[in-house]
Amino acid sequence: SAHVSPVPDDYQLTCCEISLDAGRYEVQVAGHPIELTISEFQLLECFLRNPERVLTRRQLLAEIGSGAPKISSRTIDTHVYRLRRKLPLNETFIRTVRGVGYGLFRKPGG
């Protein structure tokens, strides 16, 4: 398994209206806290680290699959579905590329 370097506690990622605090496992959208599962959090973190880029299911599985027993690419679909439902996004959206994967993109004009 790929080694993940430890991140400082104040490690934060922001994109448009989304801010993620890795040390606290907190996500806010437009200043409002959002409750996410660990997997959803890891998925969002991956999207935020790679904005405007489509990530394959395999890449996403590698990110969130490290601590989990066998999980399938269908699990990724489920996590993305739940993440979409939880995030009240106005400026960004999670794009689906059929047969490939997902990515976080800025909405045109947003």
Side-chain angles (χ1 to χ4, degrees), residues 75-93:
T75 311
I76 293 291
D77 299 341
T78 304
H79 289 319
V80 169
Y81 172 74
R82 291 188 181 144
L83 191 57
R84 272 202 183 108
R85 291 188 59 174
K86 288 183 181 183
L87 296 178
L89 300 177
N90 296 315
E91 300 166 32
T92 51
F93 69 107

Side-chain angles (χ1 to χ4, degrees), residues 5-102:
S5 58
V7 292
D9 286 346
D10 59 353
Y11 168 60
Q12 295 185 347
L13 289 165
T14 50
C15 175
C16 304
E17 71 232 285
I18 308 167
S19 69
L20 178 147
D21 186 319
R24 296 167 183 254
Y25 266 91
E26 289 176 356
V27 172
Q28 291 193 349
V29 176
H32 300 287
I34 306 293
E35 290 286 324
L36 298 178
T37 66
I38 297 288
S39 295
E40 289 160 356
F41 184 93
Q42 290 172 328
L43 205 53
L44 182 61
E45 187 179 354
C46 195
F47 288 144
L48 288 170
R49 281 203 316 265
N50 302 277
E52 305 280 333
R53 218 178 116 205
V54 174
L55 301 167
T56 67
R57 284 193 181 84
R58 185 181 296 251
Q59 286 173 308
L60 294 168
L61 271 172
E63 285 292 320
I64 73 166
S66 53
K70 290 183 183 172
I71 60 173
S72 70
S73 57
R74 286 282 154 245
T75 311
I76 293 291
D77 299 341
T78 304
H79 289 319
V80 169
Y81 172 74
R82 291 188 181 144
L83 191 57
R84 272 202 183 108
R85 291 188 59 174
K86 288 183 181 183
L87 296 178
L89 300 177
N90 296 315
E91 300 166 32
T92 51
F93 69 107
I94 297 171
R95 175 186 292 171
T96 303
V97 179
R98 289 183 78 82
V100 181
Y102 302 94

